[in-house]
Amino acid sequence: MTLLTDRYKRSIDYLRVSITDHCNLHCIYCMPLGGAPKLEHKEILSYEEFLRIIQVALKMGISKVRLTGGEPLVRRGVSDFCRRLAKLPGLKSLSLTTNGVLLEELASELHGAGIRRINISLDTLQRQKFLRITRRDEFDRVWRGIQEAERVGFDPVKINVVVMRGINDDEVLELARLTLNYPYHIRFIEFMKINSDDDWVDQHYVSADEILAKLSTVAPLEQVVYQNTNGPARHFVWPDAVGMIGIISPISHHFCPTCNRIRLTADGKLRSCLFSDQELDIKSHIRQGATDAGLAQILKDSIANKPEKHSIQSDLFRKCQSRPMVAIGG
Ligand code: SAM
Ligand code: SF4
C-alpha cells in the first residue's frame, strides 16, 4: 500500500463519505429555509457502489473513513452497511457523524457493526432553542440518543456545537460544563459560510479565540494533546473535568497545511476541499463499468487537484455556490 500525498506533500489518509443528502432536521446553518433540493434515489450511490469505491481507496492508502450525510442514520440498512465496511482490509478507523435523532434506536446496532467513534451534533441544551436552530422539535430524542451512545460503549462521545452569536453563544459555558459531569468531548466549531447568506453568517460568526476567552473566565484551561483523532481540533480541559473541550477553528486558524481528507458525496462526486466547488464525477465511471484501476485514477486526480488552501477570510473569497452543507456532509 502506498502513502497518498498531494502536490503540497500532505498525506491524504481520510475519506469522508456522505451516504445521503436527506435529513430529518433542517438546521439554519446547513439547510436553506424551505429545504434543499433532494437527490432522487437513482442519483445516490448504492451501498455496493460505496463499498467498491472505498475498497479501492483503502488499497491506495486511505485508512480512515467517516460516514456523514445529510443525516446518515435516515438511510435504510445503514448498520448492515457499516458491518460490511468495517470488515474491509486496510480500514483502521470507521466513524460516524449524526444529529442523534435516531441514535436511541440505532446506537447499539452501530456499535455492534464496528463503528467506534461517533460525533453527535447538539448546539443547545434548551428545547425551544433546539427547535429554533433545527426547525424540528427533537431535543429530547437527541439527548436520549447521546446517553444511549454512552451506555452502549462509545468512548468518548463527541458532541459538535456550532457557535452562533445571538443564537447559542450564551450557552457556551453551560455546554462546556457538561465536561465536569460527563466523559464527553464538547467540540465548539466556528460557523462557516457554505452557500449561506453572507450578511447572516458575518453577523453570527464567533471566533475560536472569543470562545476560549469565555471558557477561561470559569477556570484556567489546560491545553492537552489528544492523539486519538483524525482532525484539526485543539483540545483543552478544566481542572477536575471528566470530559474534554475541543475547539475547531476552520476560519480563524485555518488548518489547510495539515489537511488530510477528501470527500465523496452521496451522488458520487469526489470533492477535495470543503470550500471548493471543484468536483470529480466518479459515479458515471463506476456505472459505465470502470475497472478498479480506472477508479483509482479518478481518486488520484482528485487528490492531485486538492487546493493548497481556502481563502474564506479574504475579500476575494466567493462562497461555494453549488451545494449547501447538507449535500456535502461537513
Ligand atoms: N447530520 C449530521 C449531523 O448534523 O451531525 C451529519 C452531517 S452535518 C452537515 C456534519 C457537521 O457539520 C455537523 O456537526 C454540523 O453541525 C456541521 N455544520 C453544518 N453546517 C455548518 C456550518 N455552516 N458551519 C459549521 N459547521 C457546520
Ligand atoms: Fe441535517 Fe446535520 Fe445539516 Fe442539521 S447539520 S440539517 S442535522 S445534515
Side-chain angles (χ1 to χ4, degrees):
M1 188 178 56
T2 51
L3 198 64
L4 276 174
T5 49
D6 71 1
R7 62 193 151 136
Y8 303 104
K9 300 197 167 46
R10 293 172 294 195
S11 299
I12 309 298
D13 62 356
Y14 178 28
L15 176 66
R16 289 180 71 103
V17 180
S18 165
I19 61 170
T20 178
D21 67 329
H22 294 207
C23 189
N24 44 7
L25 298 181
H26 278 58
C27 303
I28 49 180
Y29 47 73
C30 180
M31 201 178 298
L33 187 65
K38 280 192 203 143
L39 292 169
E40 282 179 45
H41 181 70
K42 64 174 188 311
E43 293 176 78
I44 298 180
L45 292 179
S46 68
Y47 284 140
E48 294 302 329
E49 289 169 331
F50 277 121
L51 285 165
R52 171 117 189 268
I53 296 168
I54 295 169
Q55 217 160 1
V56 170
L58 292 172
K59 282 190 190 139
M60 295 170 67
I62 296 289
S63 59
K64 301 162 188 163
V65 173
R66 174 171 294 273
L67 303 181
T68 174
E71 171 48 36
L73 303 191
V74 301
R75 183 151 178 187
R76 241 182 299 153
V78 62
S79 302
D80 278 344
F81 172 59
C82 292
R83 187 166 293 109
R84 294 172 69 193
L85 199 50
K87 290 185 186 136
L88 294 182
L91 185 65
K92 293 195 188 126
S93 164
L94 177 59
S95 54
L96 179 104
T97 301
T98 171
N99 62 29
V101 172
L102 296 172
L103 207 48
E104 191 179 19
E105 292 94 302
L106 292 176
S108 173
E109 255 175 63
L110 291 166
H111 195 265
I115 301 270
R116 287 291 173 274
R117 294 153 171 266
I118 199 158
N119 290 21
I120 306 161
S121 302
L122 180 70
D123 306 311
T124 174
L125 295 171
Q126 299 170 19
R127 192 173 152 201
Q128 276 309 315
K129 203 185 284 182
F130 185 95
L131 172 61
R132 179 174 170 210
I133 294 174
T134 69
R135 305 177 181 123
R136 297 290 183 270
D137 189 10
E138 296 284 15
F139 173 79
D140 293 339
R141 276 222 276 179
V142 174
W143 185 247
R144 289 198 303 270
I146 289 172
Q147 288 172 321
E148 179 65 3
E150 182 187 355
R151 193 190 70 74
V152 304
F154 284 104
D155 180 22
V157 168
K158 295 186 184 176
I159 298 182
N160 288 351
V161 181
V162 178
V163 182
M164 292 163 285
R165 191 179 308 286
I167 297 181
N168 66 346
D169 58 332
D170 58 329
E171 280 190 81
V172 162
L173 294 182
E174 207 176 327
L175 283 153
R177 279 196 188 99
L178 290 174
T179 66
L180 300 176
N181 301 315
Y182 298 91
Y184 301 162
H185 288 196
I186 307 296
R187 296 147 44 94
F188 296 105
I189 305 174
E190 284 178 344
F191 184 16
M192 296 181 271
K193 189 189 300 198
I194 297 276
N195 202 322
S196 357
D197 182 81
D198 294 25
D199 288 347
W200 196 81
V201 178
D202 294 344
Q203 199 186 326
H204 295 293
Y205 168 77
V206 182
S207 72
D209 287 350
E210 188 177 333
I211 298 167
L212 281 169
K214 195 175 262 195
L215 294 170
S216 302
T217 61
V218 172
L221 279 174
E222 185 193 344
Q223 185 159 6
V224 291
V225 177
Y226 180 70
Q227 296 287 6
N228 200 14
T229 179
N230 289 329
R234 288 175 286 155
H235 296 92
F236 300 84
V237 287
W238 271 328
D240 303 325
V242 290
M244 212 178 262
I245 293 168
I247 300 284
I248 303 176
S249 42
I251 309 299
S252 62
H253 301 80
H254 71 69
F255 30 77
C256 307
T258 54
C259 184
N260 62 344
R261 60 193 62 188
I262 55 169
R263 294 175 165 79
L264 174 61
T265 65
D267 58 341
K269 303 282 172 12
L270 287 167
R271 195 171 168 110
S272 57
C273 173
L274 176 61
F275 297 102
S276 163
D277 281 339
Q278 256 178 48
E279 296 181 347
L280 281 185
D281 176 15
I282 194 165
K283 178 177 71 182
S284 61
H285 292 267
I286 203 169
R287 292 195 176 166
Q288 285 159 21
T291 60
D292 283 0
L295 298 180
Q297 188 56 50
I298 300 164
L299 280 154
K300 275 188 206 145
D301 291 346
S302 172
I303 290 168
N305 287 323
K306 190 171 162 65
E308 182 183 9
K309 59 183 182 209
H310 71 66
S311 53
I312 35 184
Q313 277 164 307
S314 91
D315 291 343
L316 294 175
F317 173 70
R318 292 179 66 241
K319 68 186 183 219
C320 307
Q321 302 289 343
S322 66
R323 296 174 184 267
M325 189 74 111
V326 66
I328 307 174

